[in-house]
Amino acid sequence: MRKLLTFRSAGDATFWGGCLAAALILNFIVYDNAVFSGHWVVFALFASINLMWMLVIGTAGLYSFATIGVVGSAAYIGAWISGGSQAGEDLAGARSLNVVFVLLATAAVGALYGAIVAAPTIRLRGVYFALFTIGLAAASRALIEEQSFLGQHQGLSGAARFLSQDLIATENGRTIEFFVGLALITFCLIVYKLVDAGRLGLLLRTARESEGVARGIGVDVVRARFAVFIISSAVLGMIGGFYTSFYGSVSLTIFDFNTLLLLFAMIVVGGLGSAKGAIVGTALLLYIDRTYADIDQPAWRYIWIGIIMFAITILTTRGLVGLPSQIRAYVQRRRARGAAGEAEAVPTPSELEVPGL
Amino acid sequence: MTDLIVTVNLAAVYGLIAVGISLTWAGLGFLNLASGVTFAASLYGAWWAQENISDHPAVIFLGGIVVGAVAGAIICVAVFLPLDGKPNWDTRSMVASLGLSLIGIYTFFLVFGPQRKAIDLLFGTTKFKIGGTTITADKSGAIICATIVMALVVIGLVTTKTGLGVRALTQNPEGAALVGIGRKQAAFAILVVSGALAGFSAVLLSQIFYPEPNIGYLPLLKGLIVALLGGLGSILGTVIAAVLVAATEAVTVHYIHQGWVLVTQLALIAIVLLVRPRGVAGILEATRA
Amino acid sequence: MTVILEARKLSAGYGPLRVLHEIDLAVAQGERVGLVGLNGHGKTTLLRSIMGFVDWRRGEIELNGKSILRTPAHRLARAGIVLIPQGDALFPGLSVKDNLDSGAFAGNWRERKKRRERVLQLFPRLADRLGQPAGTLSGGERRMCSLGRGLMTDAHVYLIDEPSLGLAPGIAAGLFSTLRELEIGSGALVLAEQNRTLLEGWIDRIVRIHGGQVVGIEAGSGSTDGGPAAAREQEEGE
């Protein structure tokens, strides 16, 4: 428990403290404002997805693009088992047991999906693996689209929700949804921290940097990768369950390529390899997405996202959250170079002198 | 028989894009995701040439090719050169090219509107018969043009000095530097030619699809699949892979359903790569030995 | 005696590892220098650091009096420095002919056919394999191809890294007899070689490298500066 609450630096503590404060303030805004409440739900879902995705792409260094496939597939299963149907018969009220059952079931679906995604990592690497995950997501979509019991083109509606019928679109309802969303993000942060800062994260990072060395020192690379995929996908599946429980419905638009693109932009802009990056990137790009979604011309939304994606990758080494340390390192290098008056700067101040290389 | 025509047309388009992706990746280590916007830009260039210059087929093709080449040059200057050699440059250049693609595609959306633009039938409307099936001039014209262009690319690679430089770069970057092949200059050549190829294939594809902004992604993905299946850096492998991938697409659409195309194509790659990790090029090498 | 290539207080390394320690080396026009020393003590790193194929360098490197620290490797090739590296750095999928021709990329591209003929006279075995991919050549043939590629231009400075490495003694000897005939004119030749006997009779100066430093300089038996006795005296004085 103590490990969860230790921060790496004062900067980190400030950041998370700030997030907590922001969350408390947001609660009051959401209370009154239906539109903002909608934004918050999307933020909660996206930030949670990105936190789990960050474990796979950032910590493990595996470029999986099956994220939306997991969330969408689980969402569909969740919607169906909680009574959703194509015609959308309106179930009277949310039976809370039902929602909990949905969350557990979707987590299980996610875990199973995760095992399928993980399997090829035994042999496939890099872009080959990425392509496989794209294919897997496409297969999921195609499979779902064909099933009549899953609503085909209309999708499913009338699924169980967090809010009972009388609470929907009320202030109290919005407050409940706010805290459910907050709980989801917090849960994902905890999972992220437990994996990334824990032993599994260490094993994954070692395998990421140098797989041969990792195997040589006895790291079971395959098992570690299976573990991270199953854990992150289980949570992703559960997020799919949250999706249906928020909206009471799901359709094929959940598999939209543009959504995947937006999510990818979020984690890249934020910075691969940290929870802060996931939160910051999601917040920034969602803000832009929502701001420009209101205007008549939807094209501007993607143009701005493209501009930010482009600018951040050109200018920063590790995304926005890496910027402070990048600037510090740059200043340090300029100073060191100035003092020594050298043509080329030495990368590290301390030099190990090792003869025989 | 119609399947065969469709297959060959698709193979031509995918193959041309794939050659560009393959050379860029094998030669520079850069996965160019902006080839999607290059595609779209070339279509608009071809359409603009048709509306404002002349509707002679050569002019329309040239419009597409020139705009494609310019797009390639822009990608080189805006994405590759600033990032080459910097930390994490391979991931960053890939993402930056994606960002550029978004900017480009949606700027076209803004400027030209979402309506589709029609490009004239470039090869006329004559038909002829082979073995009892009618083949229209546009489909066969596409195949003939694509073959000529591919042949020109191969000739360029094999006989010219720059071509040798590009081929050397795809084999051994250090060796290339040792003999005086400049990475930046080679990058420019590779990206401009890839852009021109994408532009040309865009115009070919316009005979089947109308130009609209979002047309970029799918050809890029298919081009990537073909490039990987063919074996990076191998032109012959890429050509064969293009035929295989296009055939898979035609068969899947005919016998199963459009939605499964990506799945079957990726299953194809999976099978081939499990047997020969170097793709079709690996199979060719094995048979040569 | 004009100095054509000079390294002053050159330190270099990979990442946090320092391999070369403030090396001073001056190579004169027309000189053939041999670098000897045990494996892993900096001979290869010295040659590579001249081309810039190391993570970092400190000190100074000059070609004909002008600093080349900021010059990228491919421009050095055009300026007339040719490195024939360990491992050959051939283009395995390209034919032997293409590999040789690539050597003329930086220089006299138009006269490459003539050059190629000359190289093939030096290494006749390559003539039989001209159309074959370089990746299918034997070890000795690969070395010949790599050397041949280096000889396709008029280089000023030849840097040759362990040409006998991995070769049977007979083949290595044959290779070296070709190297001995090499005309360097007003250029220079720096050859890293573990096997000192191969340097007998044609190297002007031998530089001993140990632990990333120069620990001895002797006149080689191909020089006119005096025999082995004089060299030993020089050494004891270091």
Side-chain angles (χ1 to χ4, degrees):
Chain A
M1 193 61 206
R2 228 189 56 188
K3 198 160 191 197
L4 271 175
L5 295 174
T6 51
F7 295 104
R8 241 177 287 177
S9 68
D12 261 14
T14 322
F15 177 83
W16 292 116
C19 283
L20 191 62
L24 293 171
I25 298 171
L26 281 170
N27 174 36
F28 292 107
I29 302 178
V30 163
Y31 187 78
D32 274 330
N33 189 328
V35 174
F36 200 85
S37 171
H39 293 336
W40 170 255
V41 168
V42 176
F43 175 74
L45 291 170
F46 280 2
S48 310
I49 291 175
N50 283 335
L51 280 168
M52 291 302 101
W53 202 7
M54 199 63 94
L55 279 176
V56 167
I57 286 194
T59 312
L62 299 165
Y63 278 76
S64 163
F65 288 95
T67 328
I68 291 288
V70 185
V71 176
S73 305
Y76 258 92
I77 304 291
W80 180 66
I81 63 171
S82 73
S85 66
Q86 194 171 12
E89 291 107 41
D90 202 14
L91 299 173
R95 296 180 297 247
S96 55
L97 186 64
N98 216 350
V99 166
V100 170
F101 186 63
V102 166
L103 295 181
L104 288 172
T106 49
V109 169
L112 184 62
Y113 205 111
I116 298 175
V117 176
T121 58
I122 302 174
R123 287 202 64 178
L124 291 181
R125 293 288 172 273
V127 187
Y128 298 92
F129 177 66
L131 272 186
F132 165 78
T133 58
I134 293 175
L136 194 61
S140 314
R141 184 188 200 281
L143 211 71
I144 288 174
E145 195 175 3
E146 292 200 335
Q147 313 307 322
S148 52
F149 76 93
L150 288 177
Q152 289 188 307
H153 288 288
Q154 276 124 304
L156 298 172
S157 48
R161 303 175 68 161
F162 289 122
L163 300 179
S164 56
Q165 196 56 31
D166 49 326
L167 277 176
I168 293 174
T170 64
E171 287 155 346
N172 288 329
R174 285 196 285 273
T175 309
I176 293 176
E177 284 193 334
F178 176 81
F179 281 106
V180 169
L182 189 63
L184 177 59
I185 298 179
T186 312
F187 176 73
C188 289
L189 277 169
I190 293 173
V191 171
Y192 180 90
K193 181 101 199 234
L194 282 175
V195 172
D196 186 67
R199 195 162 164 272
L200 183 57
L202 185 60
L203 296 177
L204 288 169
R205 270 190 296 273
T206 315
R208 182 188 75 203
E209 294 305 315
S210 176
E211 197 170 319
V213 172
R215 285 187 208 260
I217 62 176
V219 174
D220 194 337
V221 172
V222 173
R223 211 166 126 209
R225 286 179 174 161
F226 261 93
V228 75
F229 270 112
I230 291 177
I231 294 173
S232 63
S233 301
V235 178
L236 281 174
M238 196 182 70
I239 296 173
F242 269 85
Y243 180 99
T244 46
S245 306
F246 272 124
Y247 298 117
S249 66
V250 67
S251 73
L252 290 172
T253 55
I254 202 172
F255 293 108
D256 253 2
F257 183 72
N258 284 336
T259 313
L260 185 67
L261 207 59
L262 183 62
L263 288 170
F264 186 62
M266 286 169 177
I267 59 174
V268 167
V269 165
L272 290 176
S274 76
K276 271 195 296 185
I279 302 287
V280 166
T282 308
L284 178 61
L285 281 170
L286 194 61
Y287 173 75
I288 295 183
D289 183 65
R290 295 285 130 153
T291 309
Y292 288 94
D294 292 338
I295 300 178
D296 282 317
Q297 273 289 18
W300 276 112
R301 179 209 242 166
Y302 288 106
I303 292 178
W304 276 114
I305 291 172
I307 290 177
I308 296 213
M309 235 175 134
F310 182 77
I312 296 290
T313 39
I314 294 280
L315 296 171
T316 72
T317 318
R318 278 176 303 273
L320 277 175
V321 292
L323 204 52
S325 63
Q326 189 180 339
I327 294 177
R328 262 197 306 256
Y330 177 75
V331 169
Q332 234 178 18
R333 266 206 313 273
R334 289 298 299 265
R335 278 204 209 122
R337 204 186 298 179
E342 289 150 10
E344 281 173 25
V346 179
T348 53
S350 65
E351 290 165 35
L352 300 161
E353 301 192 358
V354 179
L357 243 175
Chain B
M1 193 61 187
T2 352
D3 276 349
L4 185 64
I5 305 294
V6 170
T7 301
V8 181
N9 268 282
L10 283 178
V13 172
Y14 293 162
L16 288 170
I17 301 175
V19 165
I21 295 178
S22 186
L23 286 177
T24 312
W25 198 350
L28 304 170
F30 170 33
L31 185 56
N32 184 9
L33 296 181
S35 37
V37 69
T38 310
F39 206 77
S42 310
L43 276 174
Y44 281 108
W47 173 79
W48 185 89
Q50 172 190 279
E51 299 296 297
N52 295 294
I53 303 180
S54 130
D55 53 5
H56 189 279
V59 170
I60 299 177
F61 267 114
L62 221 62
I65 291 173
V66 167
V67 171
V70 168
I74 293 176
I75 293 167
C76 183
V77 168
V79 175
F80 183 78
L81 292 182
L83 287 176
D84 189 32
K86 301 258 170 71
N88 297 339
W89 75 268
D90 43 1
T91 312
R92 287 164 72 187
S93 61
M94 183 184 78
V95 175
S97 66
L98 189 59
L100 199 65
S101 201
L102 279 176
I103 299 173
I105 288 178
Y106 286 94
T107 307
F108 286 127
F109 206 86
L110 267 185
V111 171
F112 290 104
Q115 301 89 5
R116 300 165 156 185
K117 307 275 183 244
I119 293 186
D120 294 342
L121 284 177
L122 292 169
F123 300 107
T125 45
T126 51
K127 306 184 217 279
F128 52 95
K129 281 182 185 281
I130 287 184
T133 318
T134 314
I135 302 179
T136 49
D138 58 345
K139 300 287 195 322
S140 52
I143 298 163
I144 295 171
C145 278
T147 314
I148 294 176
V149 168
M150 192 66 94
L152 284 174
V153 169
V154 170
I155 290 172
L157 279 174
V158 168
T159 59
T160 65
K161 182 179 171 190
T162 315
L164 178 61
V166 168
R167 281 186 299 137
L169 201 56
T170 67
Q171 297 273 315
N172 188 326
E174 186 178 287
L178 287 177
V179 298
I181 295 169
R183 194 171 152 84
K184 297 202 203 300
Q185 293 85 337
F188 194 78
I190 291 175
L191 285 168
V192 164
V193 170
S194 307
L197 284 176
F200 181 76
S201 59
V203 178
L204 279 187
L205 198 60
S206 75
Q207 300 300 288
I208 314 174
F209 295 126
Y210 293 113
E212 58 166 330
N214 253 325
I215 202 168
Y217 289 131
L218 223 45
L220 164 64
L221 193 56
K222 301 296 168 68
L224 196 58
I225 292 172
V226 169
L228 283 175
L229 182 61
L232 296 175
S234 161
I235 304 285
L236 184 57
T238 306
V239 169
I240 295 176
V243 174
L244 288 173
V245 168
T248 312
E249 177 153 347
V251 165
T252 308
V253 170
H254 191 117
Y255 292 107
I256 312 175
H257 178 43
Q258 173 76 30
W260 287 92
V261 166
L262 214 51
V263 181
T264 51
Q265 286 172 333
L266 287 165
L268 173 70
I269 271 202
I271 295 169
V272 174
L273 289 181
L274 274 172
V275 173
R276 283 257 178 265
R278 274 262 302 144
V280 174
I283 297 176
L284 290 174
E285 275 162 21
T287 52
R288 214 189 296 168
Chain C
M1 186 190 82
T2 337
V3 167
I4 185 173
L5 177 70
E6 181 169 11
R8 281 198 303 277
K9 290 210 173 320
L10 178 65
S11 298
Y14 302 95
L17 297 163
R18 187 207 275 230
V19 180
L20 300 180
H21 299 242
E22 309 213 331
I23 287 197
D24 291 317
L25 180 70
V27 181
Q29 274 185 351
E31 198 183 8
R32 293 178 173 81
V33 176
L35 300 177
V36 301
L38 296 174
N39 257 344
H41 282 250
K43 303 192 300 295
T44 298
T45 307
L46 177 54
L47 293 181
R48 288 176 70 86
S49 65
I50 294 173
M51 298 300 280
F53 288 147
V54 287
D55 285 354
W56 59 268
R57 300 176 286 188
R58 257 201 301 207
E60 189 54 74
I61 305 176
E62 284 179 358
L63 177 70
N64 287 318
K66 273 174 50 188
S67 171
I68 55 171
L69 275 183
R70 285 209 179 289
T71 317
H74 73 271
R75 283 228 204 92
L76 287 179
R78 294 174 199 214
I81 301 185
V82 165
L83 170 67
I84 294 158
Q86 246 186 63
D88 303 324
L90 289 177
F91 308 116
L94 302 187
S95 65
V96 169
K97 170 175 172 289
D98 278 341
N99 269 273
L100 291 178
D101 282 353
S102 71
F105 197 93
N108 37 355
W109 177 254
R110 291 185 208 279
E111 291 137 36
R112 64 190 186 282
K113 185 150 190 243
K114 248 185 350 187
R115 272 296 164 119
R116 215 192 309 136
E117 308 280 302
R118 260 184 46 192
V119 166
L120 291 176
Q121 278 177 352
L122 290 173
F123 300 115
R125 269 177 71 172
L126 290 181
D128 300 327
R129 312 235 184 278
L130 212 51
Q132 265 180 261
T136 61
L137 298 177
S138 72
E141 288 162 347
R142 267 206 285 265
R143 197 59 46 76
M144 288 182 217
C145 191
S146 178
L147 274 168
R149 182 178 73 185
L151 298 176
M152 290 289 289
T153 51
D154 288 318
H156 295 312
V157 178
Y158 291 97
L159 307 173
I160 309 184
D161 195 357
E162 305 244 21
S164 75
L165 199 65
L167 299 183
I171 300 185
L175 219 65
F176 268 79
S177 67
T178 310
L179 282 176
R180 289 160 82 122
E181 309 296 314
L182 195 58
E183 283 277 344
I184 57 170
S186 63
L189 173 79
V190 181
L191 180 78
E193 180 53 60
Q194 245 198 95
N195 186 348
R196 273 190 73 145
T197 52
L198 290 168
L199 301 177
E200 303 273 297
W202 66 292
I203 290 292
D204 300 317
R205 182 159 52 113
I206 290 185
V207 175
R208 293 209 334 262
I209 309 271
H210 187 88
Q213 289 177 307
V214 174
V215 296
I217 304 181
E218 339 170 340
S221 38
S223 77
T224 51
D225 285 359
R232 242 180 283 128
E233 271 175 41
Q234 213 181 11
E235 206 187 306
E236 265 143 9
E238 303 288 351

